[in-house]
Amino acid sequence: MKIRRITLGVLILLTVLFIADVRVFRVDDYVNKQHSVHFQIGPRTVSPKAQFKKVTTFSHSQGELTALVVKGRMGTIDLRSTDSPELTIHATVVSTDEAELETWDVEETTRNSEIRYELAGGESGVFQNIGVDYIVQVPQGMEVHIEQQFGEVNVEDFVGYLDVYTRFTNLTVQGLQGSVTVDNQFGDVNLQEIAGPLSLTDSYSTSNIHLMTIDGGYDFDVEVINGSLKHNAGFQVDIQPNHVRAHGQWGEGVHPVVIRSSFGTVTVQTNKISAIND
Amino acid sequence: MTRFLRLLRKDLYASRLPMGFLSGITIGIMLFVRLRVSSGAWPVQAAVAAVAIPTFFLPLWLLWQSFQTLRIEWREDTVYTLLVLPVPGWQVMLSKLLSILAEYTVLFVVTVGGVLVFFSNLLQPMWETLPGTSWVIWNGFIVYLGSLAALAGFVIFVQLAFMVSKMIGKVQGLVAIWVWVLATWFVSRVGILLEPLFRWVPALPVHELFRLQELDQGMIIQWNLAPQIGVWLATLGLFYLTSYLFEHYVEITG
């Protein structure tokens, strides 16, 4: 009987402590301050809470430069074409840690006709608490290669050759004349008002593509594995288990539109349904 | 050691039927879903359900099973024999814990094997996005070990809950559930309280352990182990407390 009373007493004591603990230290305090298991998932979202910034502006006359490479992470890349022959890059390195920020910079390197911007530095060489935002303005007709992880890429009124590699990133292109190649995983792709050849490879994403009328028309080659395809382009569709293949031509079928998607949803819209020839 | 192994063998023997039954059910569900998918009656996404059902159900079953392995000793009056055996209480508890972990291991292997046999070709595009077979095997093994450790912790709480409910003697089911909740809360608080003592322990680079850099560069996950060490110590303490209570104070009747 004695041990039963002691056990009961201990249980009551622990219950009182438990209730007091839950009431005094609220649940959100646990989450915010006192993790019993603390995961640092990095690269963490730096931009919204970043307290420290380092801004650098690069400006060049296009001259012999024909290609631009921008590598970003944990931030936003804004790109647009301008009529000016000037190439302008505003790079903002952001961090929640001032000491960490000091060790990082955006590095500019030039090789032949290619100019490249990317984060460099860091004592450990490991990206942690660090991110970078870019605002890029390029002369029309340039070849631009963008690599982005964990963030966003926004392209507006672009004229030239665009090549985008994204992971865990949402990509939006609003208005493009030229060609676009996208390799994307784990992010949404929204390509609007595209006029030119297109190549899209994506996984685990939702992709919306809106193509504009173009001289020579388009030749569509679409393959969707374990996903769904929506279109108003009058494709000839071959549906197999877990696998959809679609073909079709718009106009003379000169410009290729190649889409390879797995575990995602692809929507293809054209602005002239009647112009499609199967 | 021999006595402990005999105990373990007894517990493993007792769990063979539910283990076989669950393995059969798991394989049966997978086979059924595979046939439905192959015939085109169900979409390929149904394969996820075939994997998810055992994945979610098995931990619940194993927690119940850990309660049941103790309960059955009372129901069949074999607890008398256990208490007069010349083995310490912790060995009795440990053998029951290991038998549950063995059961989990078998069901884990059955589930993974079932996925490979029935769904590997459907998942081919997913495999292609992964770095390689060795990467998958290594990460699968780490996930297995991690889930094994987590399950062991929860089983220890269940064992304590059962012992305390037997000591209280009344409304045993409710007491057991409440003790389980309190035990979970208690170890988490001990972990936080002891955290300053273990701040010197370096964070575990999970991204290196799981070789995530091979999947995608720039992915960094670090696990701050300082609070976790207190949790582990407290869980170990509860295991010894359960064993002590079983050996010295447990009520045989009821």
Side-chain angles (χ1 to χ4, degrees), chain A residues 3-153:
Chain A
I3 187 67
R4 179 177 292 176
R5 283 181 191 157
I6 293 171
T7 309
L8 204 55
V10 171
L11 271 185
I12 290 168
L13 177 68
L14 283 173
T15 303
V16 170
L17 283 173
F18 173 71
I19 293 168
D21 187 37
V22 171
R23 289 183 72 87
V24 175
F25 305 102
R26 294 176 308 163
V27 174
D28 53 348
D29 285 347
Y30 286 133
V31 173
N32 292 331
K33 295 175 184 174
Q34 302 183 44
H35 303 277
S36 58
V37 181
H38 179 65
F39 280 91
Q40 283 186 306
I41 298 179
R44 290 181 286 184
T45 306
V46 177
S47 297
K49 293 181 180 175
Q51 296 170 5
F52 305 101
K53 296 181 178 180
K54 191 194 288 184
V55 181
T56 315
T57 300
F58 304 90
S59 187
H60 290 279
S61 178
Q62 184 179 3
E64 298 295 314
L65 297 172
T66 58
L68 166 71
V69 178
V70 179
K71 293 179 79 169
R73 61 181 306 280
M74 296 306 300
T76 303
I77 299 177
D78 291 317
L79 166 71
R80 67 182 306 157
S81 294
T82 64
D83 295 332
S84 161
E86 285 287 312
L87 173 67
T88 311
I89 313 282
H90 296 282
T92 306
V93 185
V94 293
S95 177
T96 51
D97 185 331
E98 190 173 16
E100 181 80 10
L101 178 67
E102 287 305 311
T103 62
W104 291 92
D105 273 306
V106 169
E107 191 176 75
E108 178 190 80
T109 51
T110 307
R111 188 187 307 160
N112 302 324
S113 61
E114 177 189 286
I115 190 161
R116 171 184 290 259
Y117 296 90
E118 63 185 306
L119 268 175
E123 289 174 356
S124 61
V126 176
F127 294 111
Q128 201 170 353
N129 306 316
I130 202 86
V132 60
D133 295 328
Y134 294 98
I135 299 173
V136 183
Q137 293 185 329
V138 294
Q140 292 185 356
M142 261 193 106
E143 182 184 332
V144 178
H145 174 77
I146 290 176
E147 279 186 42
Q148 174 74 317
Q149 297 193 46
F150 307 101
E152 288 185 19
V153 175

Side-chain angles (χ1 to χ4, degrees), chain B residues 156-178:
Chain B
I156 287 170
F157 300 157
V158 170
Q159 290 181 335
L160 176 70
F162 181 84
M163 285 303 149
V164 173
S165 73
K166 280 291 167 197
M167 291 170 70
I168 297 292
K170 293 175 182 172
V171 284
Q172 293 179 11
L174 285 177
V175 170
I177 291 170
W178 186 237

